[in-house]
Amino acid sequence: MTQQNPHRFDLGGGQRTMKAVVTTGHGGYEQLVYRDVPVPTLAPGEVLLQVLAAGVNNTDINTRLGWYGAAVTTATQDAALAHENQSAPATPDGGWNQATPFPFIQGTDCCGRVVAVAPGVREQLLGLRVLVRPSMRPSGFDSQDNIWMGSDFDGAFAHFVKVPADEVFAVNCDWSDAELATIPCAYGTAENMLQRAQLGQGEQVVVTGASGGVGSAVVQLAKRRGAFVTAIVGRSKMAQIKALGADLVLAREDDWVASLGENTVDLVVDNVAGPAFGTLLKLLKPGGRYVSSGAIAGPLVTLDMRTLYLKNLTLLGCTAWAEPVFANLVGYIERGELRPLVAQSFALDQIAQAQRAFLDKTHVGKFVLIPPPPDGCDSK
């Protein structure tokens, strides 16, 4: 492995292409094309990573489906089925910041190794195993402007990815590459929500969708903060989430108000939304907080404004991460305060199979894609 030019990574034999999954437009799995593309060229301030493992997230699927567009009003699974049945609405506004930059490479989660740096970037980064902070703040942390790797620009479903040098974080731990790849999007989103909501020790928190990537991360991170955690999951997964640390586990089909009582909960962390939204607000104490960064069961909800204002509730939406979030996660990993949850690993070219399994929702934790070693590059 040689570095002929710091602006361009060279794989020994002068190779200039790599394998990647290119998402060619809004639609079904046919939009995921595994093919040769150019190895990224570094701009000033950037580093090139060999992707060691890349996590699969709901946002990858939502972006491909155009779910963020206003024309889509259904759950993610229903939107996916509509594309399979060729009955999906047109989604010209399918990106959350701007039009999605098709064709491009998705992949929000990246565990990688630094293999090249642009001029002026410290060479001490070369060879380090790192995680990439996918939620980037191009206008600084005082602005709410944010862009996401794998949604707004090329991501990690490839042999290599280029990112700003300031967005890579070295991690010193004995976790596998696949285990590290479960962290960035899910745990960063979870930690950001708990920070925004200012969850305190001894508070009562309800977590919906607690078996998914973000939900299982919230369970761990809320317990780390000393909260009493009630997790809501499918009945078949209750024992696994209890073993993860939840104090109380309820099934999705249970009567949550009967089990917990009205006005008993300090914080609801809800990435499910859909029809259950009103019930969750009933659980909140006067002055309680509701925080969300997703809506997998449907983006449109019914809000009784009297519940909101008579109970003095606070509703928080979270996409742009606060500055301390990702550095905190690295510290938690290095101190052994988190547990990675790899549901299954797939080869990179099995992305459609991985996303189908993701939408089946029979798993606990995260699915991870493993690229094959690029020709001429040491994978270790």
Side-chain angles (χ1 to χ4, degrees):
M1 183 170 71
T2 62
Q3 186 177 327
Q4 303 287 350
N5 184 325
H7 288 276
R8 171 79 83 168
F9 182 68
D10 192 306
L11 295 176
Q15 181 175 341
R16 291 289 185 266
T17 62
M18 65 178 184
K19 292 294 186 183
V21 176
V22 178
T23 305
T24 57
H26 290 135
Y29 300 110
E30 76 282 354
Q31 301 292 351
L32 301 172
V33 181
Y34 185 68
R35 70 188 191 201
D36 288 329
V37 300
V39 173
T41 299
L42 295 183
E46 292 182 333
V47 297
L48 186 71
L49 307 182
Q50 178 193 345
V51 179
L52 303 176
V56 175
N57 290 285
N58 211 77
T59 190
D60 304 320
I61 298 171
N62 282 341
T63 298
R64 170 174 58 78
L65 295 174
W67 183 88
Y68 296 106
V72 180
T73 60
T74 59
T76 298
Q77 287 173 302
D78 293 334
L81 184 61
H83 277 290
E84 289 188 17
N85 295 334
Q86 298 184 333
S87 60
T91 54
D93 58 342
W96 65 54
N97 284 314
Q98 55 190 355
T100 307
F102 299 118
F104 80 122
I105 300 167
Q106 294 186 276
T108 300
D109 283 339
C110 179
C111 169
R113 191 174 306 283
V114 180
V115 293
V117 300
V121 175
R122 50 197 182 91
E123 294 187 356
Q124 292 89 333
L125 291 173
L126 288 168
L128 293 181
R129 188 171 67 151
V130 300
L131 291 177
V132 178
R133 175 169 53 193
S135 174
M136 302 180 189
R137 308 290 286 276
S139 301
F141 288 93
D142 292 331
S143 167
Q144 290 301 310
D145 291 345
N146 66 101
I147 57 174
W148 281 70
M149 182 174 75
S151 288
D152 297 307
F153 59 93
D154 284 347
F157 292 160
H159 275 145
F160 300 99
V161 62
K162 68 170 187 173
V163 296
D166 291 344
E167 304 296 349
V168 300
F169 291 72
V171 186
N172 181 19
C173 69
D174 61 359
W175 290 16
S176 69
D177 300 332
E179 288 172 330
L180 279 175
T182 66
I183 294 296
C185 183
Y187 284 77
T189 297
E191 176 73 2
N192 189 56
M193 287 193 289
L194 296 181
Q195 283 200 15
R196 283 284 308 280
Q198 298 181 327
L199 179 65
Q201 185 171 2
E203 287 197 302
Q204 304 272 338
V205 58
V206 166
V207 183
T208 63
S211 61
V214 175
S216 58
V218 172
V219 170
Q220 294 184 66
L221 291 166
K223 285 304 299 177
R224 184 194 165 277
R225 290 169 180 256
F228 184 96
V229 177
T230 298
I232 298 175
V233 295
R235 197 171 298 281
S236 65
K237 304 172 186 176
M238 293 175 70
Q240 290 169 279
I241 302 306
K242 181 71 173 177
L244 190 61
D247 298 286
L248 177 65
V249 183
L250 300 177
R252 284 196 302 262
E253 304 81 10
D254 291 343
D255 185 333
W256 308 335
V257 174
S259 298
L260 300 176
E262 289 194 35
N263 305 321
T264 59
V265 173
D266 298 290
L267 174 66
V268 169
V269 182
D270 177 34
N271 275 12
V272 176
F277 177 79
T279 299
L280 292 168
L281 297 194
K282 289 181 181 180
L283 297 176
L284 286 170
K285 297 176 181 177
R289 296 98 71 203
Y290 170 100
V291 63
S292 177
S293 64
I296 62 172
L300 302 187
V301 299
T302 299
L303 169 63
D304 186 331
M305 287 296 296
R306 294 163 296 188
T307 303
L308 174 64
Y309 72 78
L310 291 174
K311 292 177 68 172
N312 294 295
L313 301 180
T314 298
L315 307 185
L316 295 165
C318 292
T319 297
W321 295 355
E323 186 172 9
V325 164
F326 211 69
N328 286 352
L329 288 178
V330 171
Y332 303 159
I333 294 169
E334 293 182 339
R335 294 192 296 272
E337 297 173 3
L338 293 181
R339 173 180 163 191
L341 294 175
V342 179
Q344 189 176 345
S345 293
F346 296 82
L348 180 61
D349 62 359
Q350 295 177 311
I351 185 171
Q353 181 182 339
Q355 290 192 355
R356 284 190 179 93
F358 184 102
L359 288 172
D360 286 341
K361 301 296 182 185
T362 60
H363 64 288
V364 173
K366 294 285 296 287
F367 290 133
V368 177
L369 300 176
I370 309 294
D375 293 341
C377 185
D378 187 355
S379 62
K380 296 181 180 179

